[in-house]
C-alpha cells in the first residue's frame, strides 16, 4: 500500500487560501495542511472548517523564514515521504510608501516561492501538482515595460537566479527619477512580484519536465474576490469578475 497523499496550502488561515483548503478537504483523497505564520489564527481556521465536517490538519509556516520552510520540509519527508499538492498562496499587497515596505512585498510574494520551491520540489512525487496563486497585476506590469526589458524576462533560457536578479533590478527602477509608475510603491512591488511569479512558474515547469515525473506547475489568478487583501470589496464565494 502506497504512502498517504498530502497537500499543503501556504498562507491559508483566511481568504483565498482558506477557500482552497476547504475545496481540497472536500475532494482530495489525502491529508490537507492549512498553514499560517500565526499558530493561533491557523488553529482557529482549522476549527472553523471542522465545524463544516471537514478535517484539515495544521502546520505552522512563515514563508519568509527559511528555517520555517525547512521545518515543514523535514516534517513532510519524515511523515509522508513526499508531497502531492503544493499551493503557493501566501502573499501581501499594501499601499506602502517606503522602499523597505515594498521590499517585504517582493520577499513574500516572489522570493518565498523561490525558497519553498528549492526546499519542497525534491519531495514532489510523480504526478504531483503545484499551483502558484498570482494576479492580473503581473500581466499589467509586463505590458507597461519597455520592449528590451520584456525580452529579458521572456528569455527562453532564463534561470531562477537570473530571474530573481531581474525582479530586483526592475523593482529598483522605482527609485529612478525618470521612472514614474504612478502607483504607491507597495502596489508597484506587488505587480513586479506577480510578474516574477508568473515567469518563475514557467521556469519551474521547464525544469521538472526534464525529469519525467509528470509534474505540472501552473499559476492562476483568482480575480477580485472578497478578502482582506481587497478590503472586502471583491465578489463573494470565491467568484471572480469576468
Amino acid at each position: 500500500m502506497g504512502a498517504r497523499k498530502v497537500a499543503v496550502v501556504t498562507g491559508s488561515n483566511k481568504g483565498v487560501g482558506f477557500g482552497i483548503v476547504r475545496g481540497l478537504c472536500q475532494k482530495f483523497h489525502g491529508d490537507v495542511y492549512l498553514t499560517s505564520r500565526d499558530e493561533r489564527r491557523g488553529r482557529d481556521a482549522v476549527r472553523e472548517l471542522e465545524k463544516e465536517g471537514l478535517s484539515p490538519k495544521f502546520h505552522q509556516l512563515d514563508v519568509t523564514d527559511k528555517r520555517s520552510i525547512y521545518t515543514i520540509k523535514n516534517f513532510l519527508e519524515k511523515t509522508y515521504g513526499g508531497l502531492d499538492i503544493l499551493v503557493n498562496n501566501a502573499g501581501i499587497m499594501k499601499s506602502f510608501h517606503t522602499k523597505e515596505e515594498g521590499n517585504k512585498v517582493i520577499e513574500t510574494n516572489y522570493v518565498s516561492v523561490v525558497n519553498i520551491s528549492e526546499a519542497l520540489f525534491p519531495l514532489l512525487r510523480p504526478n504531483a501538482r503545484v499551483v502558484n496563486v498570482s494576479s492580473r497585476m503581473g500581466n499589467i506590469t509586463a505590458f507597461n515595460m519597455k520592449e528590451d526589458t520584456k525580452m529579458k524576462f521572456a528569455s527562453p533560457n532564463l534561470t531562477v537566479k537570473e530571474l530573481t536578479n531581474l525582479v530586483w533590478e526592475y523593482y529598483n527602477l522605482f527609485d529612478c527619477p525618470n521612472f514614474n509608475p504612478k502607483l504607491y510603491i507597495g502596489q508597484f512591488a506587488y505587480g513586479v512580484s506577480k510578474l516574477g511569479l508568473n515567469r518563475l512558474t514557467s521556469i519551474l515547469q521547464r525544469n521538472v519536465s526534464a525529469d519525467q515525473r509528470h509534474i505540472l506547475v501552473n499559476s492562476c489568478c483568482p480575480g477580485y474576490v472578497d478578502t482582506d487583501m481587497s478590503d472586502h470589496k471583491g465578489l463573494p464565494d470565491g467568484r471572480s469578475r469576468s
Side-chain angles (χ1 to χ4, degrees), residues 19-90:
I20 292 171
V21 170
R22 176 189 282 127
L24 284 170
C25 285
Q26 292 168 343
K27 298 180 179 180
F28 178 63
H29 298 296
D31 291 338
V32 180
Y33 277 86
L34 182 154
T35 71
S36 69
R37 180 175 53 186
D38 185 283
E39 183 168 349
R40 181 184 61 79
R41 292 178 181 177
R43 294 196 182 279
D44 285 347
V46 165
R47 282 190 284 270
E48 285 298 310
L49 291 173
E50 288 174 340
K51 292 176 184 177
E52 300 177 17
L54 303 175
S55 302
K57 295 180 178 294
F58 174 76
H59 199 289
Q60 191 274 341
L61 174 61
D62 180 351
V63 299
T64 64
D65 183 349
K66 278 192 174 184
R67 289 175 298 179
S68 182
I69 292 171
Y70 277 88
T71 295
I72 195 171
K73 182 258 186 184
N74 293 335
F75 167 78
L76 291 169
E77 189 169 30
K78 180 179 178 180
T79 307
Y80 296 94
L83 178 61
D84 301 281
I85 294 178
L86 171 63
V87 182
N88 287 305
N89 167 78

Side-chain angles (χ1 to χ4, degrees), residues 175-186:
D175 283 343
C176 296
N178 296 326
F179 187 81
N180 181 16
K182 298 179 181 179
L183 292 169
Y184 290 116
I185 193 166

Side-chain angles (χ1 to χ4, degrees), residues 5-196:
K5 290 187 174 182
V6 60
V8 172
V9 185
T10 71
S12 49
N13 63 289
K14 61 181 180 178
V16 171
F18 184 79
I20 292 171
V21 170
R22 176 189 282 127
L24 284 170
C25 285
Q26 292 168 343
K27 298 180 179 180
F28 178 63
H29 298 296
D31 291 338
V32 180
Y33 277 86
L34 182 154
T35 71
S36 69
R37 180 175 53 186
D38 185 283
E39 183 168 349
R40 181 184 61 79
R41 292 178 181 177
R43 294 196 182 279
D44 285 347
V46 165
R47 282 190 284 270
E48 285 298 310
L49 291 173
E50 288 174 340
K51 292 176 184 177
E52 300 177 17
L54 303 175
S55 302
K57 295 180 178 294
F58 174 76
H59 199 289
Q60 191 274 341
L61 174 61
D62 180 351
V63 299
T64 64
D65 183 349
K66 278 192 174 184
R67 289 175 298 179
S68 182
I69 292 171
Y70 277 88
T71 295
I72 195 171
K73 182 258 186 184
N74 293 335
F75 167 78
L76 291 169
E77 189 169 30
K78 180 179 178 180
T79 307
Y80 296 94
L83 178 61
D84 301 281
I85 294 178
L86 171 63
V87 182
N88 287 305
N89 167 78
I92 57 174
M93 180 179 72
K94 296 289 184 182
S95 295
F96 291 139
H97 297 271
T98 70
K99 198 67 183 292
E100 291 71 23
E101 290 173 322
N103 288 345
K104 294 178 183 177
V105 177
I106 302 289
E107 290 164 358
T108 303
N109 297 357
Y110 170 77
V111 175
S112 73
V113 181
V114 172
N115 292 335
I116 287 170
S117 301
E118 183 179 277
L120 298 189
F121 267 47
L123 297 184
L124 293 176
R125 287 194 267 249
N127 302 305
R129 298 291 184 264
V130 179
V131 178
N132 297 325
V133 178
S134 191
S135 166
R136 288 175 292 184
M137 284 296 294
N139 294 336
I140 293 170
T141 300
F143 179 80
N144 290 322
M145 282 179 163
K146 292 181 179 179
E147 200 59 36
D148 60 336
T149 306
K150 288 182 185 178
M151 294 302 293
K152 290 179 182 179
F153 275 90
S155 172
N157 299 315
L158 193 67
T159 66
V160 173
K161 183 177 180 179
E162 290 168 342
L163 172 61
T164 299
N165 290 336
L166 279 175
V167 166
W168 285 114
E169 180 183 313
Y170 188 67
Y171 166 64
N172 286 327
L173 286 176
F174 196 94
D175 283 343
C176 296
N178 296 326
F179 187 81
N180 181 16
K182 298 179 181 179
L183 292 169
Y184 290 116
I185 193 166
Q187 293 171 308
F188 177 63
Y190 184 79
V192 175
S193 72
K194 293 303 185 180
L195 166 64

